């Protein structure tokens, strides 16, 4: 399976509520330069869903630092399933 297919699978796992499995795959894929923004954001979303908010913020910050022009971690479409109050606070903090 190529990296784009694996990234799609990681997102499917997230939407299926399989946060640990999605996290495991995202943590592998975040090492690929073309996926660092998207997978770093997904990693953060998984960590958030697993109750690991501090790690989630750090993960998203790393994704932004590594790929500041990638809008995937700020896309409303991409984050529509992730709209808890705590997650929105994390996003607002990161945008400052």
């Amino acid at each position: 399976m190529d990296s784009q297919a694996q990234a799609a699978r990681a997102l499917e796992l997230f939407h299926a509520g399989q946060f640990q499995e999605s996290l495991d795959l995202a943590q592998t894929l975040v090492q690929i330069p073309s996926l660092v923004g998207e997978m770093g954001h997904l990693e953060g979303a998984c960590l958030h869903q697993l109750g690991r908010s501090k790690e989630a913020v750090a993960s998203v910050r790393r994704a932004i630092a590594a790929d500041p022009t990638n809008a995937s971690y700020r896309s409303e479409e991409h984050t529509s399933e992730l709209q808890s109050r705590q997650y929105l606070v994390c996003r607002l903090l990161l945008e400052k």
Side-chain angles (χ1 to χ4, degrees), residues 8-82:
R9 179 69 180 140
L11 194 55
E12 286 174 11
L13 288 167
F14 178 86
H15 289 296
Q18 297 176 353
F19 305 120
Q20 185 61 56
E21 293 85 353
S22 179
L23 174 62
D24 293 343
L25 190 50
Q27 286 178 325
T28 299
L29 296 171
V30 78
Q31 304 303 316
I32 299 170
S34 64
L35 295 176
V36 71
E38 182 181 3
M39 289 298 105
H41 176 254
L42 182 58
E43 178 184 46
C46 291
L47 288 164
H48 167 73
Q49 291 295 329
L50 293 167
R52 297 161 57 184
S53 296
K54 287 183 181 182
E55 291 172 85
V57 170
S59 178
V60 174
R61 282 188 173 152
R62 281 191 305 273
I64 292 170
D67 191 5
T69 62
N70 189 323
S72 69
Y73 43 71
R74 291 194 173 122
S75 166
E76 289 303 317
E77 181 178 320
H78 186 72
T79 60
S80 63
E81 299 289 326
L82 314 174

